[in-house]
PDB file of all heavy atoms in Angstrom:
ATOM      1  N   ASN A 215       0.861  -1.177   0.008  1.00 97.00           N
ATOM      2  CA  ASN A 215       0.015  -0.007   0.010  1.00 97.00           C
ATOM      3  C   ASN A 215       0.923   1.242  -0.007  1.00 97.00           C
ATOM      4  O   ASN A 215       1.578   1.487   0.979  1.00 97.00           O
ATOM      5  CB  ASN A 215      -0.915  -0.036   1.213  1.00 97.00           C
ATOM      6  CG  ASN A 215      -1.839   1.199   1.293  1.00 97.00           C
ATOM      7  OD1 ASN A 215      -1.760   2.093   0.466  1.00 97.00           O
ATOM      8  ND2 ASN A 215      -2.712   1.214   2.325  1.00 97.00           N
ATOM      9  N   THR A 216       0.859   1.975  -1.103  1.00 96.00           N
ATOM     10  CA  THR A 216       1.690   3.169  -1.202  1.00 96.00           C
ATOM     11  C   THR A 216       0.966   4.470  -0.810  1.00 96.00           C
ATOM     12  O   THR A 216       1.585   5.501  -0.777  1.00 96.00           O
ATOM     13  CB  THR A 216       2.255   3.346  -2.627  1.00 96.00           C
ATOM     14  OG1 THR A 216       1.155   3.524  -3.538  1.00 96.00           O
ATOM     15  CG2 THR A 216       3.060   2.136  -3.051  1.00 96.00           C
ATOM     16  N   GLY A 217      -0.319   4.359  -0.558  1.00 97.00           N
ATOM     17  CA  GLY A 217      -1.053   5.594  -0.224  1.00 97.00           C
ATOM     18  C   GLY A 217      -2.493   5.287   0.277  1.00 97.00           C
ATOM     19  O   GLY A 217      -2.844   5.614   1.381  1.00 97.00           O
ATOM     20  N   THR A 218      -3.289   4.745  -0.619  1.00 98.00           N
ATOM     21  CA  THR A 218      -4.678   4.401  -0.299  1.00 98.00           C
ATOM     22  C   THR A 218      -5.032   3.039  -0.807  1.00 98.00           C
ATOM     23  O   THR A 218      -4.911   2.684  -1.968  1.00 98.00           O
ATOM     24  CB  THR A 218      -5.660   5.450  -0.900  1.00 98.00           C
ATOM     25  OG1 THR A 218      -5.441   5.500  -2.311  1.00 98.00           O
ATOM     26  CG2 THR A 218      -5.425   6.816  -0.329  1.00 98.00           C
ATOM     27  N   VAL A 219      -5.559   2.192   0.108  1.00 98.00           N
ATOM     28  CA  VAL A 219      -6.143   0.920  -0.243  1.00 98.00           C
ATOM     29  C   VAL A 219      -7.584   0.966   0.256  1.00 98.00           C
ATOM     30  O   VAL A 219      -7.851   0.697   1.429  1.00 98.00           O
ATOM     31  CB  VAL A 219      -5.376  -0.257   0.305  1.00 98.00           C
ATOM     32  CG1 VAL A 219      -6.199  -1.548   0.272  1.00 98.00           C
ATOM     33  CG2 VAL A 219      -4.058  -0.488  -0.437  1.00 98.00           C
ATOM     34  N   TYR A 220      -8.507   1.379  -0.633  1.00 97.00           N
ATOM     35  CA  TYR A 220      -9.855   1.612  -0.220  1.00 97.00           C
ATOM     36  C   TYR A 220     -10.822   0.665  -0.924  1.00 97.00           C
ATOM     37  O   TYR A 220     -10.606   0.251  -2.099  1.00 97.00           O
ATOM     38  CB  TYR A 220     -10.310   3.056  -0.523  1.00 97.00           C
ATOM     39  CG  TYR A 220      -9.611   4.134   0.294  1.00 97.00           C
ATOM     40  CD1 TYR A 220      -9.857   5.469   0.028  1.00 97.00           C
ATOM     41  CD2 TYR A 220      -8.705   3.809   1.331  1.00 97.00           C
ATOM     42  CE1 TYR A 220      -9.236   6.488   0.774  1.00 97.00           C
ATOM     43  CE2 TYR A 220      -8.114   4.823   2.051  1.00 97.00           C
ATOM     44  CZ  TYR A 220      -8.359   6.135   1.777  1.00 97.00           C
ATOM     45  OH  TYR A 220      -7.729   7.122   2.509  1.00 97.00           O
ATOM     46  N   LYS A 221     -11.936   0.343  -0.217  1.00 95.00           N
ATOM     47  CA  LYS A 221     -13.055  -0.395  -0.792  1.00 95.00           C
ATOM     48  C   LYS A 221     -12.619  -1.658  -1.498  1.00 95.00           C
ATOM     49  O   LYS A 221     -12.001  -2.542  -0.907  1.00 95.00           O
ATOM     50  CB  LYS A 221     -13.900   0.539  -1.680  1.00 95.00           C
ATOM     51  CG  LYS A 221     -14.427   1.771  -0.885  1.00 95.00           C
ATOM     52  CD  LYS A 221     -15.173   2.732  -1.747  1.00 95.00           C
ATOM     53  CE  LYS A 221     -16.505   2.252  -2.188  1.00 95.00           C
ATOM     54  NZ  LYS A 221     -17.307   3.279  -2.902  1.00 95.00           N
ATOM     55  N   GLU A 222     -12.869  -1.790  -2.810  1.00 96.00           N
ATOM     56  CA  GLU A 222     -12.547  -2.999  -3.538  1.00 96.00           C
ATOM     57  C   GLU A 222     -11.030  -3.280  -3.532  1.00 96.00           C
ATOM     58  O   GLU A 222     -10.597  -4.429  -3.586  1.00 96.00           O
ATOM     59  CB  GLU A 222     -13.052  -2.940  -4.965  1.00 96.00           C
ATOM     60  CG  GLU A 222     -14.575  -2.966  -5.085  1.00 96.00           C
ATOM     61  CD  GLU A 222     -15.224  -1.587  -4.846  1.00 96.00           C
ATOM     62  OE1 GLU A 222     -14.476  -0.588  -4.744  1.00 96.00           O
ATOM     63  OE2 GLU A 222     -16.452  -1.531  -4.693  1.00 96.00           O
ATOM     64  N   GLY A 223     -10.261  -2.235  -3.439  1.00 97.00           N
ATOM     65  CA  GLY A 223      -8.813  -2.375  -3.382  1.00 97.00           C
ATOM     66  C   GLY A 223      -8.363  -3.112  -2.107  1.00 97.00           C
ATOM     67  O   GLY A 223      -7.295  -3.751  -2.116  1.00 97.00           O
ATOM     68  N   PHE A 224      -9.156  -3.022  -1.076  1.00 98.00           N
ATOM     69  CA  PHE A 224      -8.820  -3.742   0.162  1.00 98.00           C
ATOM     70  C   PHE A 224      -8.752  -5.222  -0.050  1.00 98.00           C
ATOM     71  O   PHE A 224      -7.867  -5.899   0.480  1.00 98.00           O
ATOM     72  CB  PHE A 224      -9.934  -3.364   1.207  1.00 98.00           C
ATOM     73  CG  PHE A 224      -9.595  -3.833   2.583  1.00 98.00           C
ATOM     74  CD1 PHE A 224      -8.787  -3.147   3.435  1.00 98.00           C
ATOM     75  CD2 PHE A 224     -10.201  -5.008   3.104  1.00 98.00           C
ATOM     76  CE1 PHE A 224      -8.554  -3.536   4.724  1.00 98.00           C
ATOM     77  CE2 PHE A 224      -9.955  -5.429   4.369  1.00 98.00           C
ATOM     78  CZ  PHE A 224      -9.147  -4.740   5.225  1.00 98.00           C
ATOM     79  N   TYR A 225      -9.683  -5.720  -0.842  1.00 97.00           N
ATOM     80  CA  TYR A 225      -9.716  -7.180  -1.097  1.00 97.00           C
ATOM     81  C   TYR A 225      -8.507  -7.634  -1.955  1.00 97.00           C
ATOM     82  O   TYR A 225      -7.878  -8.672  -1.709  1.00 97.00           O
ATOM     83  CB  TYR A 225     -11.004  -7.605  -1.745  1.00 97.00           C
ATOM     84  CG  TYR A 225     -12.260  -7.232  -0.929  1.00 97.00           C
ATOM     85  CD1 TYR A 225     -13.175  -6.341  -1.429  1.00 97.00           C
ATOM     86  CD2 TYR A 225     -12.421  -7.804   0.290  1.00 97.00           C
ATOM     87  CE1 TYR A 225     -14.259  -5.964  -0.646  1.00 97.00           C
ATOM     88  CE2 TYR A 225     -13.528  -7.457   1.063  1.00 97.00           C
ATOM     89  CZ  TYR A 225     -14.455  -6.554   0.604  1.00 97.00           C
ATOM     90  OH  TYR A 225     -15.558  -6.194   1.363  1.00 97.00           O
ATOM     91  N   VAL A 226      -8.177  -6.784  -2.946  1.00 98.00           N
ATOM     92  CA  VAL A 226      -6.970  -7.082  -3.760  1.00 98.00           C
ATOM     93  C   VAL A 226      -5.737  -7.120  -2.873  1.00 98.00           C
ATOM     94  O   VAL A 226      -4.901  -8.056  -2.962  1.00 98.00           O
ATOM     95  CB  VAL A 226      -6.811  -6.032  -4.880  1.00 98.00           C
ATOM     96  CG1 VAL A 226      -5.480  -6.252  -5.580  1.00 98.00           C
ATOM     97  CG2 VAL A 226      -7.973  -6.057  -5.834  1.00 98.00           C
ATOM     98  N   TYR A 227      -5.616  -6.165  -1.982  1.00 98.00           N
ATOM     99  CA  TYR A 227      -4.487  -6.096  -1.084  1.00 98.00           C
ATOM    100  C   TYR A 227      -4.381  -7.323  -0.231  1.00 98.00           C
ATOM    101  O   TYR A 227      -3.268  -7.876  -0.043  1.00 98.00           O
ATOM    102  CB  TYR A 227      -4.619  -4.829  -0.213  1.00 98.00           C
ATOM    103  CG  TYR A 227      -3.486  -4.645   0.764  1.00 98.00           C
ATOM    104  CD1 TYR A 227      -2.282  -4.035   0.390  1.00 98.00           C
ATOM    105  CD2 TYR A 227      -3.613  -5.029   2.088  1.00 98.00           C
ATOM    106  CE1 TYR A 227      -1.225  -3.859   1.273  1.00 98.00           C
ATOM    107  CE2 TYR A 227      -2.578  -4.844   3.007  1.00 98.00           C
ATOM    108  CZ  TYR A 227      -1.391  -4.271   2.605  1.00 98.00           C
ATOM    109  OH  TYR A 227      -0.366  -4.148   3.492  1.00 98.00           O
ATOM    110  N   LEU A 228      -5.535  -7.815   0.299  1.00 98.00           N
ATOM    111  CA  LEU A 228      -5.494  -8.971   1.184  1.00 98.00           C
ATOM    112  C   LEU A 228      -5.021 -10.238   0.507  1.00 98.00           C
ATOM    113  O   LEU A 228      -4.631 -11.190   1.179  1.00 98.00           O
ATOM    114  CB  LEU A 228      -6.851  -9.168   1.806  1.00 98.00           C
ATOM    115  CG  LEU A 228      -7.352  -8.210   2.846  1.00 98.00           C
ATOM    116  CD1 LEU A 228      -8.735  -8.614   3.381  1.00 98.00           C
ATOM    117  CD2 LEU A 228      -6.370  -8.108   3.983  1.00 98.00           C
ATOM    118  N   ALA A 229      -5.096 -10.277  -0.818  1.00 97.00           N
ATOM    119  CA  ALA A 229      -4.688 -11.482  -1.587  1.00 97.00           C
ATOM    120  C   ALA A 229      -3.190 -11.702  -1.591  1.00 97.00           C
ATOM    121  O   ALA A 229      -2.734 -12.814  -1.886  1.00 97.00           O
ATOM    122  CB  ALA A 229      -5.235 -11.427  -2.973  1.00 97.00           C
ATOM    123  N   GLY A 230      -2.435 -10.707  -1.232  1.00 97.00           N
ATOM    124  CA  GLY A 230      -0.930 -10.831  -1.295  1.00 97.00           C
ATOM    125  C   GLY A 230      -0.401 -11.894  -0.381  1.00 97.00           C
ATOM    126  O   GLY A 230      -0.890 -12.060   0.777  1.00 97.00           O
ATOM    127  N   ARG A 231       0.637 -12.610  -0.833  1.00 96.00           N
ATOM    128  CA  ARG A 231       1.307 -13.641   0.014  1.00 96.00           C
ATOM    129  C   ARG A 231       1.887 -12.994   1.228  1.00 96.00           C
ATOM    130  O   ARG A 231       1.876 -13.521   2.318  1.00 96.00           O
ATOM    131  CB  ARG A 231       2.393 -14.342  -0.823  1.00 96.00           C
ATOM    132  CG  ARG A 231       2.992 -15.563  -0.177  1.00 96.00           C
ATOM    133  CD  ARG A 231       2.166 -16.766  -0.349  1.00 96.00           C
ATOM    134  NE  ARG A 231       1.881 -17.082  -1.755  1.00 96.00           N
ATOM    135  CZ  ARG A 231       2.640 -17.790  -2.547  1.00 96.00           C
ATOM    136  NH1 ARG A 231       3.760 -18.321  -2.090  1.00 96.00           N
ATOM    137  NH2 ARG A 231       2.283 -18.021  -3.796  1.00 96.00           N
ATOM    138  N   LYS A 232       2.543 -11.797   1.006  1.00 96.00           N
ATOM    139  CA  LYS A 232       2.962 -10.925   2.089  1.00 96.00           C
ATOM    140  C   LYS A 232       2.448  -9.560   1.774  1.00 96.00           C
ATOM    141  O   LYS A 232       2.330  -9.151   0.634  1.00 96.00           O
ATOM    142  CB  LYS A 232       4.484 -10.930   2.221  1.00 96.00           C
ATOM    143  CG  LYS A 232       5.094 -12.217   2.695  1.00 96.00           C
ATOM    144  CD  LYS A 232       6.604 -12.106   2.844  1.00 96.00           C
ATOM    145  CE  LYS A 232       7.207 -13.444   3.337  1.00 96.00           C
ATOM    146  NZ  LYS A 232       8.652 -13.354   3.491  1.00 96.00           N
ATOM    147  N   ARG A 233       2.146  -8.766   2.835  1.00 97.00           N
ATOM    148  CA  ARG A 233       1.520  -7.468   2.641  1.00 97.00           C
ATOM    149  C   ARG A 233       2.270  -6.399   3.406  1.00 97.00           C
ATOM    150  O   ARG A 233       2.511  -6.528   4.617  1.00 97.00           O
ATOM    151  CB  ARG A 233       0.032  -7.562   3.093  1.00 97.00           C
ATOM    152  CG  ARG A 233      -0.740  -8.663   2.426  1.00 97.00           C
ATOM    153  CD  ARG A 233      -2.200  -8.642   2.789  1.00 97.00           C
ATOM    154  NE  ARG A 233      -2.504  -8.925   4.172  1.00 97.00           N
ATOM    155  CZ  ARG A 233      -2.697 -10.158   4.714  1.00 97.00           C
ATOM    156  NH1 ARG A 233      -2.613 -11.203   3.916  1.00 97.00           N
ATOM    157  NH2 ARG A 233      -2.955 -10.311   5.999  1.00 97.00           N
ATOM    158  N   PHE A 234       2.610  -5.333   2.670  1.00 96.00           N
ATOM    159  CA  PHE A 234       3.408  -4.248   3.263  1.00 96.00           C
ATOM    160  C   PHE A 234       2.692  -2.905   3.078  1.00 96.00           C
ATOM    161  O   PHE A 234       1.757  -2.841   2.256  1.00 96.00           O
ATOM    162  CB  PHE A 234       4.780  -4.165   2.564  1.00 96.00           C
ATOM    163  CG  PHE A 234       5.576  -5.466   2.658  1.00 96.00           C
ATOM    164  CD1 PHE A 234       5.466  -6.441   1.680  1.00 96.00           C
ATOM    165  CD2 PHE A 234       6.436  -5.672   3.706  1.00 96.00           C
ATOM    166  CE1 PHE A 234       6.172  -7.638   1.757  1.00 96.00           C
ATOM    167  CE2 PHE A 234       7.179  -6.858   3.800  1.00 96.00           C
ATOM    168  CZ  PHE A 234       7.065  -7.825   2.844  1.00 96.00           C
ATOM    169  N   SER A 235       3.136  -1.928   3.824  1.00 97.00           N
ATOM    170  CA  SER A 235       2.517  -0.620   3.737  1.00 97.00           C
ATOM    171  C   SER A 235       3.524   0.490   3.983  1.00 97.00           C
ATOM    172  O   SER A 235       4.432   0.341   4.769  1.00 97.00           O
ATOM    173  CB  SER A 235       1.359  -0.474   4.738  1.00 97.00           C
ATOM    174  OG  SER A 235       0.772   0.829   4.735  1.00 97.00           O
ATOM    175  N   TYR A 236       3.352   1.607   3.247  1.00 96.00           N
ATOM    176  CA  TYR A 236       4.092   2.802   3.549  1.00 96.00           C
ATOM    177  C   TYR A 236       3.593   3.324   4.941  1.00 96.00           C
ATOM    178  O   TYR A 236       2.411   3.114   5.283  1.00 96.00           O
ATOM    179  CB  TYR A 236       3.882   3.876   2.508  1.00 96.00           C
ATOM    180  CG  TYR A 236       4.635   3.664   1.204  1.00 96.00           C
ATOM    181  CD1 TYR A 236       5.252   2.412   0.888  1.00 96.00           C
ATOM    182  CD2 TYR A 236       4.739   4.655   0.262  1.00 96.00           C
ATOM    183  CE1 TYR A 236       5.931   2.214  -0.276  1.00 96.00           C
ATOM    184  CE2 TYR A 236       5.388   4.479  -0.924  1.00 96.00           C
ATOM    185  CZ  TYR A 236       6.015   3.268  -1.206  1.00 96.00           C
ATOM    186  OH  TYR A 236       6.693   3.072  -2.394  1.00 96.00           O
ATOM    187  N   PRO A 237       4.433   4.012   5.691  1.00 96.00           N
ATOM    188  CA  PRO A 237       4.067   4.431   7.034  1.00 96.00           C
ATOM    189  C   PRO A 237       2.818   5.297   7.124  1.00 96.00           C
ATOM    190  O   PRO A 237       2.027   5.155   8.124  1.00 96.00           O
ATOM    191  CB  PRO A 237       5.287   5.171   7.560  1.00 96.00           C
ATOM    192  CG  PRO A 237       6.432   4.621   6.697  1.00 96.00           C
ATOM    193  CD  PRO A 237       5.838   4.355   5.393  1.00 96.00           C
ATOM    194  N   ARG A 238       2.585   6.145   6.169  1.00 96.00           N
ATOM    195  CA  ARG A 238       1.446   7.104   6.239  1.00 96.00           C
ATOM    196  C   ARG A 238       0.320   6.738   5.327  1.00 96.00           C
ATOM    197  O   ARG A 238      -0.580   7.505   5.066  1.00 96.00           O
ATOM    198  CB  ARG A 238       1.890   8.538   5.985  1.00 96.00           C
ATOM    199  CG  ARG A 238       2.815   9.021   7.087  1.00 96.00           C
ATOM    200  CD  ARG A 238       3.416  10.413   6.757  1.00 96.00           C
ATOM    201  NE  ARG A 238       4.317  10.808   7.821  1.00 96.00           N
ATOM    202  CZ  ARG A 238       5.580  10.397   7.976  1.00 96.00           C
ATOM    203  NH1 ARG A 238       6.076   9.517   7.067  1.00 96.00           N
ATOM    204  NH2 ARG A 238       6.339  10.797   8.966  1.00 96.00           N
ATOM    205  N   ALA A 239       0.348   5.526   4.788  1.00 97.00           N
ATOM    206  CA  ALA A 239      -0.748   5.009   3.959  1.00 97.00           C
ATOM    207  C   ALA A 239      -1.998   4.784   4.810  1.00 97.00           C
ATOM    208  O   ALA A 239      -1.897   4.647   6.030  1.00 97.00           O
ATOM    209  CB  ALA A 239      -0.307   3.734   3.257  1.00 97.00           C
ATOM    210  N   SER A 240      -3.124   4.655   4.161  1.00 98.00           N
ATOM    211  CA  SER A 240      -4.362   4.398   4.899  1.00 98.00           C
ATOM    212  C   SER A 240      -5.165   3.290   4.162  1.00 98.00           C
ATOM    213  O   SER A 240      -4.956   3.003   2.971  1.00 98.00           O
ATOM    214  CB  SER A 240      -5.248   5.662   5.002  1.00 98.00           C
ATOM    215  OG  SER A 240      -5.497   6.233   3.701  1.00 98.00           O
ATOM    216  N   PHE A 241      -6.093   2.730   4.934  1.00 98.00           N
ATOM    217  CA  PHE A 241      -6.906   1.642   4.479  1.00 98.00           C
ATOM    218  C   PHE A 241      -8.370   1.951   4.763  1.00 98.00           C
ATOM    219  O   PHE A 241      -8.687   2.593   5.769  1.00 98.00           O
ATOM    220  CB  PHE A 241      -6.575   0.318   5.193  1.00 98.00           C
ATOM    221  CG  PHE A 241      -5.170  -0.173   4.996  1.00 98.00           C
ATOM    222  CD1 PHE A 241      -4.085   0.417   5.658  1.00 98.00           C
ATOM    223  CD2 PHE A 241      -4.889  -1.218   4.152  1.00 98.00           C
ATOM    224  CE1 PHE A 241      -2.789  -0.007   5.476  1.00 98.00           C
ATOM    225  CE2 PHE A 241      -3.577  -1.682   3.934  1.00 98.00           C
ATOM    226  CZ  PHE A 241      -2.549  -1.080   4.635  1.00 98.00           C
ATOM    227  N   TYR A 242      -9.238   1.484   3.845  1.00 97.00           N
ATOM    228  CA  TYR A 242     -10.666   1.570   4.144  1.00 97.00           C
ATOM    229  C   TYR A 242     -11.372   0.310   3.605  1.00 97.00           C
ATOM    230  O   TYR A 242     -11.327   0.053   2.405  1.00 97.00           O
ATOM    231  CB  TYR A 242     -11.329   2.813   3.516  1.00 97.00           C
ATOM    232  CG  TYR A 242     -12.821   2.879   3.767  1.00 97.00           C
ATOM    233  CD1 TYR A 242     -13.354   2.912   5.019  1.00 97.00           C
ATOM    234  CD2 TYR A 242     -13.729   2.915   2.676  1.00 97.00           C
ATOM    235  CE1 TYR A 242     -14.687   2.956   5.270  1.00 97.00           C
ATOM    236  CE2 TYR A 242     -15.087   2.925   2.874  1.00 97.00           C
ATOM    237  CZ  TYR A 242     -15.582   2.978   4.191  1.00 97.00           C
ATOM    238  OH  TYR A 242     -16.919   3.013   4.408  1.00 97.00           O
ATOM    239  N   TRP A 243     -11.965  -0.415   4.520  1.00 94.00           N
ATOM    240  CA  TRP A 243     -12.742  -1.579   4.187  1.00 94.00           C
ATOM    241  C   TRP A 243     -14.241  -1.252   4.273  1.00 94.00           C
ATOM    242  O   TRP A 243     -14.693  -0.675   5.288  1.00 94.00           O
ATOM    243  CB  TRP A 243     -12.412  -2.724   5.134  1.00 94.00           C
ATOM    244  CG  TRP A 243     -13.464  -3.758   5.191  1.00 94.00           C
ATOM    245  CD1 TRP A 243     -13.931  -4.579   4.194  1.00 94.00           C
ATOM    246  CD2 TRP A 243     -14.276  -4.086   6.307  1.00 94.00           C
ATOM    247  NE1 TRP A 243     -14.951  -5.386   4.640  1.00 94.00           N
ATOM    248  CE2 TRP A 243     -15.222  -5.082   5.946  1.00 94.00           C
ATOM    249  CE3 TRP A 243     -14.308  -3.617   7.628  1.00 94.00           C
ATOM    250  CZ2 TRP A 243     -16.165  -5.577   6.820  1.00 94.00           C
ATOM    251  CZ3 TRP A 243     -15.235  -4.135   8.500  1.00 94.00           C
ATOM    252  CH2 TRP A 243     -16.154  -5.105   8.118  1.00 94.00           C
ATOM    253  N   GLU A 244     -14.996  -1.543   3.254  1.00 91.00           N
ATOM    254  CA  GLU A 244     -16.449  -1.274   3.262  1.00 91.00           C
ATOM    255  C   GLU A 244     -17.169  -2.584   2.977  1.00 91.00           C
ATOM    256  O   GLU A 244     -16.902  -3.272   1.986  1.00 91.00           O
ATOM    257  CB  GLU A 244     -16.796  -0.260   2.176  1.00 91.00           C
ATOM    258  CG  GLU A 244     -18.246   0.189   2.155  1.00 91.00           C
ATOM    259  CD  GLU A 244     -18.479   1.260   1.135  1.00 91.00           C
ATOM    260  OE1 GLU A 244     -18.449   0.956  -0.104  1.00 91.00           O
ATOM    261  OE2 GLU A 244     -18.675   2.424   1.536  1.00 91.00           O
ATOM    262  N   LYS A 245     -18.154  -2.908   3.839  1.00 86.00           N
ATOM    263  CA  LYS A 245     -18.857  -4.191   3.727  1.00 86.00           C
ATOM    264  C   LYS A 245     -19.947  -4.236   2.692  1.00 86.00           C
ATOM    265  O   LYS A 245     -20.211  -5.246   2.126  1.00 86.00           O
ATOM    266  CB  LYS A 245     -19.393  -4.575   5.135  1.00 86.00           C
ATOM    267  CG  LYS A 245     -19.947  -5.985   5.165  1.00 86.00           C
ATOM    268  CD  LYS A 245     -20.094  -6.468   6.620  1.00 86.00           C
ATOM    269  CE  LYS A 245     -21.074  -5.682   7.389  1.00 86.00           C
ATOM    270  NZ  LYS A 245     -21.312  -6.207   8.756  1.00 86.00           N
TER     271      LYS A 245
END
């Protein structure tokens, strides 16, 4: 995650074998 992992992007991100993030990046999961 280099900045924003929001909504549908959250599911794509979770698919990674390993998952990393920049320190000031943010996430938003929407059900």
Side-chain angles (χ1 to χ4, degrees):
N215 180 356
T216 63
T218 55
V219 163
Y220 292 175
K221 300 177 72 172
E222 293 80 11
F224 188 82
Y225 302 116
V226 174
Y227 180 82
L228 288 182
R231 189 82 55 89
K232 292 183 180 180
R233 304 185 295 270
F234 302 89
S235 177
Y236 284 13
R238 293 173 182 80
S240 58
F241 298 77
Y242 177 58
W243 157 65
E244 184 176 74
K245 188 163 64 175

